[in-house]
Amino acid sequence: MAKEPEKQRKTVKCEGRFGSERDYLTFLLPTILEGKTIIGEPELRSMWNLGGDEIIYQGDFKDPYYDSRIDGLRKKPVIDTESGHLSLVPLIESPPYHLEPECVRAYASSMGNSEVVSKRLMELGRHPRKFFREVLKKEPSNISIPLKDGKSNINLSGFTITGDISIGTIISGGVGVGGGIRSDCPYLLGVYQNAGKGEMGLAAVIGFWAQDNEMIVAQLQSCRNANFPDNVCFGVAALRVAEEAAKGIGFKRIVVYSSKDHPLFYMHPESRGQLEEELTMFFDMSAKKLGYEGTRHQTHVKYLM
């Protein structure tokens, strides 16, 4: 995709999770990189050695990255002397900076994922536009989605699925009103509706964490630029895309937050009244329709292997 125009970036109001830690890294990066934009393990180690303790304690107490006790699904990042620098990988926004693929693989491995899973997640950052089709060898037209009536299915023919990495990364909205959606997770998928003449409109962003060979879906977000096919529940369609990606990557199971315990409400408790109904439909009701175990007060789980 073409580089996102600045006027589109300004329409993205949400800053994403862990803003304090990311802001502190933005402060450190120019000193470490000296004009470069590519970040490898040596640069990550330098940042960790220079400001590791400060980074850990920079977090907003409502949503701290290095203390995941309020987040029932996400593992605490590794902060030991050998691998602590890898915990910075999810916090590096792209653009303006880009991670060397090996950093992504090493981070994924440090979170308990197999070598197969870690290498495929590495490709998510290396080949964003080609990831679903050429790396996973999957076609949107083969993704079957149940219609609202439950009596028939439809596929995603006419859609394109892309990928990217890092919290804070913006998935461009494409045609129409511009804008886009900012990632809240280390790994993300963008679902675009092909609008003709090479143009695409963003229909959904799916953000997830990866740990112990499981995909944890934390972000199912719609965009006004495009829509899934008629008579399809948004959450059902987005979760089906996540499932197909999870199978291709090699995850053993897929886990979905419940609306009651979603970390969004720890960071923004004032938004519960406004957003809980939407999250209930996107997460709880969609997971139930697709046969996940769990309830609104529990984690939703489906075993894939």
Side-chain angles (χ1 to χ4, degrees):
M1 271 177 285
K3 186 176 180 181
E4 189 176 13
E6 184 65 23
K7 65 180 180 180
Q8 287 190 355
R9 289 177 59 84
K10 289 181 179 179
T11 65
V12 182
K13 296 180 181 180
C14 177
E15 291 303 314
R17 298 182 69 184
F18 316 123
S20 298
E21 290 96 333
R22 287 165 38 221
D23 285 347
Y24 190 68
L25 285 183
T26 300
F27 169 74
L28 290 179
L29 279 167
T31 302
I32 299 297
L33 296 179
E34 298 180 339
K36 296 186 296 183
T37 59
I38 304 298
I39 299 174
E41 282 210 52
E43 289 76 22
L44 291 176
R45 289 184 186 277
S46 295
M47 279 190 288
W48 189 249
N49 292 335
L50 180 63
D53 288 342
E54 289 294 327
I55 296 169
I56 291 173
Y57 296 110
Q58 282 290 324
D60 186 331
F61 72 93
K62 292 183 179 179
D63 187 33
Y65 174 64
Y66 283 98
D67 184 353
S68 59
R69 285 177 294 180
I70 66 169
D71 190 338
L73 298 182
R74 183 172 63 88
K75 286 173 61 174
K76 185 176 181 179
V78 177
I79 58 173
D80 61 40
T81 54
E82 292 299 318
S83 302
H85 63 289
L86 295 174
S87 68
L88 303 178
V89 167
L91 304 176
I92 306 295
E93 294 181 27
S94 173
Y97 302 107
H98 300 279
L99 287 157
E100 290 184 355
E102 175 58 24
C103 295
V104 181
R105 186 210 61 77
Y107 162 71
S109 179
S110 75
M111 297 304 290
N113 297 295
S114 70
E115 192 66 13
V116 169
V117 168
S118 298
K119 285 183 175 179
R120 287 181 182 156
L121 291 171
M122 175 182 72
E123 295 299 322
L124 185 62
R126 178 182 281 174
H127 300 296
R129 289 178 290 178
K130 301 178 180 179
F131 179 73
F132 198 78
R133 176 167 285 172
E134 297 187 16
V135 176
L136 300 187
K137 308 297 183 184
K138 290 181 174 289
E139 293 289 340
S141 59
N142 292 331
I143 300 178
S144 180
I145 301 171
L147 296 176
K148 291 179 180 179
D149 60 15
K151 298 178 181 179
S152 57
N153 293 353
I154 195 170
N155 64 47
L156 289 183
S157 177
F159 285 77
T160 297
I161 300 172
T162 69
D164 218 324
I165 58 171
S166 295
I167 298 162
T169 297
I170 296 175
I171 298 294
S172 171
V175 299
V177 298
I181 293 177
R182 194 183 296 273
S183 171
D184 269 342
C185 303
Y187 310 101
L188 54 152
L189 302 167
V191 185
Y192 287 85
Q193 185 178 29
N194 303 332
K197 297 182 179 180
E199 294 185 323
M200 300 190 299
L202 183 62
V205 168
I206 300 145
F208 64 94
W209 299 79
Q211 60 189 42
D212 299 330
N213 296 320
E214 65 182 26
M215 171 190 278
I216 300 177
V217 177
Q219 185 175 13
L220 299 173
Q221 196 166 348
S222 61
C223 188
R224 296 177 181 177
N225 297 87
N227 299 292
F228 282 119
D230 292 340
N231 299 318
V232 166
C233 295
F234 172 85
V236 171
L239 273 182
R240 282 291 297 119
V241 172
E243 288 178 2
E244 289 303 313
K247 292 174 185 177
I249 293 169
F251 289 113
K252 293 182 179 180
R253 69 176 189 167
I254 182 169
V255 182
V256 181
Y257 281 92
S258 70
S259 60
K260 289 291 185 184
D261 293 325
H262 198 283
L264 171 69
F265 296 129
Y266 290 102
M267 186 176 182
H268 300 290
E270 74 282 355
S271 67
R272 183 176 290 274
Q274 176 187 355
L275 296 177
E276 187 168 4
E277 182 178 353
E278 181 177 280
L279 263 67
T280 297
M281 290 190 296
F282 285 4
F283 287 79
D284 304 318
M285 296 177 66
S286 299
K288 182 177 181 180
K289 189 174 182 68
L290 291 174
Y292 286 66
E293 302 173 10
T295 70
R296 288 183 62 193
H297 300 276
Q298 297 177 333
T299 300
H300 305 287
V301 179
K302 178 183 280 190
Y303 288 86
L304 302 174
M305 299 175 64

